[in-house]
């Protein structure tokens, strides 16, 4: 069809794909009393720049694809869309993936104030999306979020509505323009594998949650909820501009890779309430000095491995760990973390001296390219060389008699 404008105001119902693949269509007018929009209506409408949805619309049979992340408007150059009051994210109203990979979409406004609803995988990879707003009225409005802004590289700011109580995995993963985010005090749960679990529940480890992973412009993150007792795994992983984190709850655990590759984070005070610091939690961060309180009972492999690390200081009242010359040891004298200063040369060569008892993960840095074990070392311990992504060469002397698993 060659027409550029289409008036469907006299139609009380529409057929599936009625205007699909009309590459010349720029504008379409609907009957304002229309309640259902069939699927595939706008696929292939690569010139559609203006879309006003009927005010009575309550159901849009969108055809979002979970495998390809292609949404209903993936090819349409529409920049702004206002969703009517009766249309909200729900299996029976507006499904997931509706606006994924939208070509030009910059702004979306949700106006529903009569329902509690969940937003899931709605805008993935819409790379020009800058603004999404939600109406709320008391307890009504958006309450749960998961996977919505993955790869939305133009999103600079986002205000999480005060009605939200749950935020799921990967919500802002790869939002490379996002500079600051505040998670309101109403958020008391996180989603793991689609099931709501309390953040304060110790069994909720939230592995690979990646709330802000890859947000390379993020400078500040704030969690206002006092019920949060852990910083989730991968939470700020690869947030290379991160400078400040404010976490209101009494943190007991900093989970794996939480601050991995955060070189701009030069100062972080581990809360007194923390008991566990998981593997690679601060690997390749910019923090030079850490202080560990008497309450810390578990430090996992590679927790502090970075070139920037200069020293670790342990409270003398701690019965599990102690520090000596800036290095961290457990109570039986095994080296847990060794700052790289003086050991790693400018060419990325790490020489491990003979005569010390050390655990895997004691020597960790992204800058390590070669590891030389000194003559006299007899064992390469468990996970010794894990977490060294740029390692190219390892020298083992004849004295080595044992290489433990996953070394």
């Amino acid at each position: 069809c060659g027409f550029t404008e289409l008036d469907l105001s006299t139609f009380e119902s529409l057929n599936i794909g009625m205007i699909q693949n009309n590459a010349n269509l720029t504008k379409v007018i609907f009957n304002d009393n229309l309640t259902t929009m069939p699927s595939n209506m706008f696929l292939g409408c690569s010139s559609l720049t203006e879309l006003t949805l009927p005010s009575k619309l309550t159901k849009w049979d969108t055809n979002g694809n979970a495998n390809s992340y292609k949404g209903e408007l993936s090819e349409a150059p529409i920049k702004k869309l206002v969703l009517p009051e009766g249309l909200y994210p729900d299996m029976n109203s507006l499904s997931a993936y509706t606006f994924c990979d939208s070509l030009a979409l910059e702004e979306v406004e949700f106006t529903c104030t009569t329902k509690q609803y969940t937003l899931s995988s709605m805008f993935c990879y819409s790379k020009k999306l800058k603004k999404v707003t939600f109406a709320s009225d008391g307890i009504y409005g958006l309450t749960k979020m998961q996977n919505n802004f993955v790869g939305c590289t133009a999103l600079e700011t986002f205000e999480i509505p005060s009605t939200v109580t749950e935020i799921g995995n990967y919500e802002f993963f790869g939002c490379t323009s996002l500079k600051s985010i505040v998670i309101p005090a109403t958020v008391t749960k996180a989603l793991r594998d689609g099931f709501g679990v309390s953040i304060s529940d110790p069994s909720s480890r939230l592995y690979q949650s990646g709330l802000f992973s890859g947000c390379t412009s993020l400078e500040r993150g704030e969690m206002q909820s006092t019920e949060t007792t852990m910083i989730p795994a991968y939470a700020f992983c690869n947030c290379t501009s991160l400078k400040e984190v404010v976490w209101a709850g009494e943190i007991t655990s900093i989970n794996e890779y939480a601050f991995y590759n955060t070189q701009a984070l030069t100062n972080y005070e581990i809360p007194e309430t923390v008991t566990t610091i998981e593997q690679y939690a601060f690997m390749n961060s910019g923090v030079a000095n850490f202080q560990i309180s008497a309450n810390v009972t578990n430090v996992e492999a590679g927790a502090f491995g970075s070139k920037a690390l200069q020293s670790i200081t342990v409270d003398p009242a701690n019965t599990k760990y102690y520090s000596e010359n800036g290095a961290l040891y457990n109570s039986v004298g095994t080296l847990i973390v060794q700052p790289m200063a003086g050991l790693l040369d400018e060419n990325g060569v790490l020489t491990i001296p003979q005569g010390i008892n050390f655990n895997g993960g004691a020597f960790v840095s992204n800058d390590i390219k070669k590891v030389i074990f000194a003559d006299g070392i007899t064992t390469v311990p468990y996970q010794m060389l894990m977490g060294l992504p740029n390692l190219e060469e390892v020298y083992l002397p004849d004295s080595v008699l044992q290489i433990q698993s996953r070394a």
Side-chain angles (χ1 to χ4, degrees):
C1 297
F3 50 82
T4 59
E5 294 191 11
L6 183 61
D7 188 347
L8 300 176
S9 59
T10 60
F11 287 71
E12 296 182 357
S13 63
L14 303 174
N15 294 326
I16 294 176
M18 195 169 181
I19 60 174
Q20 183 179 357
N21 293 325
N22 190 328
N24 296 311
L25 186 65
T26 60
K27 180 180 180 180
V28 58
I29 301 173
F30 296 103
N31 186 328
D32 201 45
N33 292 315
L34 189 71
T35 58
T36 300
M37 185 74 69
S39 63
N40 297 327
M41 282 291 288
F42 308 106
L43 291 178
C45 295
S46 55
S47 298
L48 187 64
T49 57
E50 185 176 344
L51 179 60
T52 301
L53 296 173
S55 63
K56 302 296 193 300
L57 194 66
T58 58
K59 183 175 177 60
W60 186 353
D61 289 327
T62 56
N63 194 37
N65 191 311
N67 295 319
S68 66
Y69 289 101
K70 292 290 184 181
E72 192 80 13
L73 302 177
S74 61
E75 299 176 55
I78 295 172
K79 293 185 177 182
K80 182 177 179 179
L81 192 63
V82 178
L83 302 181
E85 170 74 18
L87 196 64
Y88 58 95
D90 181 85
M91 288 181 60
N92 298 314
S93 183
L94 186 69
S95 65
Y97 308 103
T98 298
F99 306 115
C100 286
D101 198 26
S102 293
L103 175 70
L105 195 62
E106 296 181 2
E107 183 177 351
V108 177
E109 180 181 348
F110 291 84
T111 63
C112 179
T113 59
T114 59
K115 299 284 185 180
Q116 289 184 337
Y117 57 86
T118 297
L119 198 69
S120 179
S121 304
M122 191 64 66
F123 307 104
C124 300
Y125 303 106
S126 291
K127 296 182 179 179
K128 292 189 177 181
L129 186 69
K130 296 180 179 179
K131 184 178 182 180
V132 179
T133 56
F134 303 89
S136 61
D137 182 14
I139 64 171
Y140 295 114
L142 177 64
T143 59
K144 302 177 184 179
M145 305 170 61
Q146 182 174 5
N147 295 333
N148 289 291
F149 301 104
V150 174
C152 292
T153 55
L155 189 71
E156 294 184 2
T157 183
F158 181 77
E159 182 177 351
I160 299 174
S162 60
T163 50
V164 172
T165 59
E166 301 184 19
I167 296 180
N169 299 343
Y170 303 106
E171 183 61 28
F172 298 97
F173 183 92
C175 292
T176 55
S177 296
L178 189 67
K179 295 182 179 180
S180 179
I181 192 74
V182 176
I183 301 177
T186 54
V187 177
T188 58
K189 293 183 179 181
L191 296 178
R192 182 186 63 179
D193 299 330
F195 299 95
V197 291
S198 173
I199 303 178
S200 59
D201 178 3
S203 67
S204 170
R205 297 174 67 83
L206 299 175
Y207 283 128
Q208 297 184 3
S209 66
L211 281 175
F212 307 106
S213 292
C215 294
T216 54
S217 296
L218 187 69
E219 297 180 357
R220 185 179 189 274
E222 180 179 350
M223 168 66 85
Q224 295 181 341
S225 174
T226 58
E227 296 188 30
T228 57
T229 61
M230 65 180 68
I231 297 181
Y234 298 83
F236 298 99
C237 177
N238 289 320
C239 292
T240 53
S241 299
L242 186 69
K243 296 179 180 178
E244 182 183 9
V245 175
V246 178
W247 214 269
E250 291 191 358
I251 303 300
T252 60
S253 177
I254 301 175
N255 287 4
E256 64 173 353
Y257 293 93
F259 296 100
Y260 176 86
N261 207 27
T262 53
Q263 298 99 323
L265 185 68
T266 57
N267 182 46
Y268 183 81
E269 184 176 338
I270 298 174
E272 290 275 339
T273 52
V274 168
T275 60
T276 297
I277 304 169
E278 293 189 349
Q279 61 179 351
Y280 311 121
F282 293 95
M283 181 178 174
N284 205 33
S285 78
V287 182
N289 303 290
F290 286 99
Q291 292 186 337
I292 294 179
S293 74
N295 296 317
V296 174
T297 58
N298 182 32
V299 178
E300 295 185 1
F304 299 103
S306 76
K307 184 179 180 179
L309 182 65
Q310 296 179 8
S311 69
I312 296 176
T313 303
V314 180
D315 188 322
N318 191 305
T319 59
K320 297 290 185 179
Y321 299 97
Y322 69 92
S323 57
E324 185 177 295
N325 297 323
L328 177 67
Y329 296 82
N330 63 17
S331 57
V332 297
T334 301
L335 178 63
I336 305 301
V337 179
Q338 172 65 56
M340 293 294 98
L343 295 178
L344 184 64
D345 70 17
E346 59 183 11
N347 295 316
V349 178
L350 171 65
T351 300
I352 299 177
Q354 189 268 342
I356 59 172
N357 183 21
F358 54 90
N359 270 359
F363 308 93
V364 179
S365 171
N366 277 6
D367 298 289
I368 297 175
K369 296 180 180 180
K370 180 179 180 179
V371 175
I372 299 175
F373 290 84
D375 290 338
I377 292 177
T378 60
T379 300
V380 179
Y382 172 76
Q383 289 191 344
M384 176 64 215
L385 302 176
M386 287 188 67
L388 305 180
N390 297 311
L391 183 64
E392 299 173 353
E393 185 179 353
V394 177
Y395 169 77
L396 297 176
D398 293 338
S399 58
V400 171
L401 302 176
Q402 181 185 22
I403 300 177
Q404 295 184 353
S405 64
R406 301 179 70 183

